[in-house]
């Protein structure tokens, strides 16, 4: 028995991107084998038939592709949030200071972590454009 495409998707929604990609590859491999008449004989003795499985896999692939887009967007969003966190922390600290203390804080940051200082300044300049 095959799941309807929406139920199939629900089963994969909590899966990792890596697992979803493996499932996509498994389906594509089956489809290629079917298209090229390379399926083992045992597949033709089953119910549903390989053709029904093939047609259902087309629907499954639609769902998998949507999940891949979502998972990749989530991974990218999480990655951006992690990259911004030091800058947001600096902003939070500096929001509590007056102008003079901000200057001293940035000078101290430049001495202690020059790379972070320049990345922060670049981030600030891009945000002000």
């Amino acid at each position: 028995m095959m799941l309807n495409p929406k139920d199939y998707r629900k089963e994969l929604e909590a899966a990792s991107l890596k697992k979803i990609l493996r499932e996509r590859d498994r389906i594509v491999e089956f489809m290629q084998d079917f298209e090229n008449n390379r399926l083992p004989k045992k597949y033709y003795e089953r119910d549903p038939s390989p053709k029904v499985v093939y047609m259902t896999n087309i629907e499954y692939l639609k769902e998998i592709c949507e999940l891949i887009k979502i998972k990749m967007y989530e991974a990218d969003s999480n990655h951006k949030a992690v990259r911004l966190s030091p800058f947001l922390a600096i902003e939070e600290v500096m929001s509590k200071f007056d102008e003079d203390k901000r200057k001293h804080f940035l000078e101290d940051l430049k001495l202690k972590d020059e790379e972070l200082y320049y990345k922060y300044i670049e981030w600030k300049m891009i945000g002000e454009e």
Side-chain angles (χ1 to χ4, degrees):
M1 183 179 129
M2 299 196 71
L3 295 173
N4 75 51
K6 297 298 179 197
D7 289 338
Y8 175 79
R9 178 181 177 147
K10 285 179 186 172
E11 286 195 0
L12 288 173
E13 284 177 344
S16 68
L17 177 58
K18 188 175 183 177
K19 182 176 179 180
I20 294 169
L21 292 173
R22 279 195 311 265
E23 180 67 4
R24 178 209 53 199
D25 294 345
R26 184 192 65 77
I27 288 173
V28 168
E29 183 179 341
F30 172 87
M31 293 175 77
Q32 288 172 336
D33 287 347
F34 175 79
E35 292 165 356
N36 295 306
N37 296 315
R38 292 191 309 243
L39 284 178
K41 186 178 178 180
K42 66 180 180 180
Y43 280 95
Y44 292 94
E45 297 167 358
R46 295 182 181 173
D47 186 34
S49 71
K51 185 174 184 178
V52 170
V53 174
Y54 179 88
M55 299 304 285
T56 305
N57 279 338
I58 292 171
E59 297 299 316
Y60 287 179
L61 280 177
K62 288 182 199 175
E63 299 299 331
I64 286 176
C65 288
E66 283 297 314
L67 285 174
I68 290 169
K69 284 188 337 191
I70 291 166
K71 296 288 183 173
M72 291 185 88
Y73 176 78
E74 288 173 352
D76 191 44
S77 295
N78 290 338
H79 184 65
K80 285 179 183 173
V82 169
R83 286 185 291 169
L84 285 178
S85 60
F87 305 144
L88 298 175
I90 292 169
E91 287 286 296
E92 177 68 25
V93 169
M94 288 188 17
S95 71
K96 296 175 170 86
F97 296 154
D98 62 22
E99 190 63 35
D100 217 24
K101 285 185 179 179
R102 286 184 196 145
K103 281 184 186 178
H104 287 123
F105 178 85
L106 288 175
E107 288 170 4
D108 194 41
L109 178 63
K110 187 176 181 181
L111 290 173
K112 291 180 178 174
D113 192 339
E114 192 173 353
E115 181 182 359
L116 177 59
Y117 169 81
Y118 283 112
K119 285 181 179 180
Y120 170 75
I121 296 299
E122 180 182 356
W123 176 75
K124 277 299 276 186
M125 292 174 69
I126 291 170
E128 293 174 357
E129 290 178 351

